Amino acid sequence: MTFLILGCGWVGEAFAHAVKACGHTVIVTTTNPAKQERFIAAGFTVLCVDFDTSIDISVFPEQVDYILNSIPATKQLGQEVLSHRFNQVVRVLEKVTYKQQIFLSSVGVYPDESGLYTEESAVDETSNLRYAEQRMQVCPRTTVYRLGGLFGQERIFAKYFQNRVCVTGGQPANFVHQEDVLALLQLGFQAQLQYSVYNITAPEHPLKKEVILKSARRYGFSLPSSFTDEASFQKVVSGERIISELKYTFIYKSPLDF
């Protein structure tokens, strides 16, 4: 099988290695020359494509089996850049024939307010994330994975709070480990998923303060200088839908285990 990975970032690169190890062909896009060399050395076909410019559609294959789309829609992007970026992605998806696309979004699409959030909950319709989801859902056979905070390998939560004031320690952690994301991507491409949107979060949601303290002890990082509760809304994002549908058992059930 052939996988096309649009915007090959941290998750995309790990996924590319995983499916190539299974004997599949991998085509990736990047704008980073250093990544280009690394990807070529790994045996991937590399397309140097910047979706913020006018792209050459002819460099893309006519047909692949699956598309992993991780083109970012960060909140810093202005509307003009955001619109152009995803219009270019749509052009690619209109050219390439594929069986299924998984688009990586984020649980940040839900408002930062207390509550239990499922895929049926209201989202921030004005957000860049929601705009990107809607543009991609115009394309056929598209499933959206809304990822929780991503950790694993060198990404350790405590690292980012060393000797700093932590104002979010009272919030529940809506996190997910990279290994579980990779497993759910592979299963998602193999299955005929019933829904168009899935939350991808670990089943357990300890407080962020607990995660920081435990990972700092485990990996030897300095503690925050202090914890405050300035932003302690109780937002919990449930990933039960995909767990139930795929009968999936998380490798890392709790961020305390990351």
Side-chain angles (χ1 to χ4, degrees):
M1 291 185 291
T2 300
F3 288 82
L4 171 61
I5 303 177
L6 302 177
C8 193
W10 188 60
V11 170
E13 183 172 359
F15 182 75
H17 282 285
V19 295
K20 188 174 187 303
C22 295
H24 302 305
T25 299
V26 181
I27 305 168
V28 304
T29 76
T30 184
T31 60
N32 186 314
K35 279 188 174 183
Q36 179 184 8
E37 294 181 11
R38 186 167 78 240
F39 293 164
I40 291 172
F44 310 147
T45 298
V46 183
L47 306 178
C48 289
V49 176
D50 183 351
F51 288 96
D52 291 345
T53 65
S54 180
I55 63 173
D56 180 3
I57 292 293
S58 68
V59 303
F60 287 90
E62 294 290 336
Q63 183 173 349
V64 298
D65 291 287
Y66 301 110
I67 296 176
L68 174 60
N69 183 345
S70 58
I71 299 296
T74 55
K75 63 176 64 176
Q76 294 83 7
L77 289 176
Q79 185 59 45
E80 184 175 347
V81 173
L82 182 72
S83 175
H84 179 82
R85 176 178 296 182
F86 283 92
N87 285 342
Q88 297 288 73
V89 176
V90 169
R91 289 181 61 211
V92 172
L93 297 174
E94 288 174 340
K95 176 201 172 172
V96 180
T97 301
Y98 58 92
K99 296 176 183 176
Q100 185 184 4
Q101 172 186 213
I102 295 179
F103 175 64
L104 300 185
S105 183
S106 165
V107 298
V109 75
Y110 300 111
D112 287 337
E113 299 173 358
S114 295
L116 176 63
Y117 291 84
T118 71
E119 292 84 354
E120 304 305 321
S121 299
V123 299
D124 180 358
E125 294 290 350
T126 67
S127 69
N128 285 358
L129 286 168
R130 183 59 180 148
Y131 174 86
E133 287 183 359
Q134 290 175 318
R135 291 293 289 131
M136 294 302 92
Q137 287 174 316
V138 169
C139 303
R141 298 174 298 284
T142 293
T143 302
V144 175
Y145 274 15
R146 291 174 175 162
L147 304 184
L150 279 164
F151 295 96
Q153 297 182 0
E154 75 284 356
R155 291 193 181 187
I156 300 163
F157 194 46
K159 179 194 300 187
Y160 307 104
F161 293 93
Q162 294 184 95
N163 305 308
R164 296 174 55 194
V165 176
C166 175
V167 301
T168 59
Q171 295 177 6
N174 297 297
F175 295 164
V176 65
H177 197 282
Q178 185 194 62
E179 289 185 35
D180 285 300
V181 174
L182 298 182
L184 285 166
L185 283 169
Q186 294 191 65
L187 289 172
F189 281 122
Q190 294 166 12
Q192 295 292 325
L193 293 170
Q194 298 178 35
Y195 298 94
S196 61
V197 178
Y198 294 87
N199 296 330
I200 310 296
T201 58
E204 298 178 17
H205 304 267
L207 295 182
K208 292 180 180 179
K209 179 178 180 179
E210 297 171 347
V211 179
I212 291 170
L213 293 176
K214 188 161 185 180
S215 64
R217 288 195 299 269
R218 177 178 291 151
Y219 298 105
F221 291 112
S222 299
L223 294 175
S225 57
S226 64
F227 289 93
T228 69
D229 287 330
E230 295 175 23
S232 58
F233 51 85
Q234 301 299 292
K235 173 183 176 180
V236 174
V237 180
S238 171
E240 182 56 34
R241 171 181 281 180
I242 201 159
I243 293 172
S244 176
E245 182 174 336
L246 295 179
K247 305 296 187 290
Y248 182 70
T249 300
F250 267 74
I251 303 165
Y252 294 89
K253 294 181 175 63
S254 171
L256 295 174
D257 302 326
F258 289 6

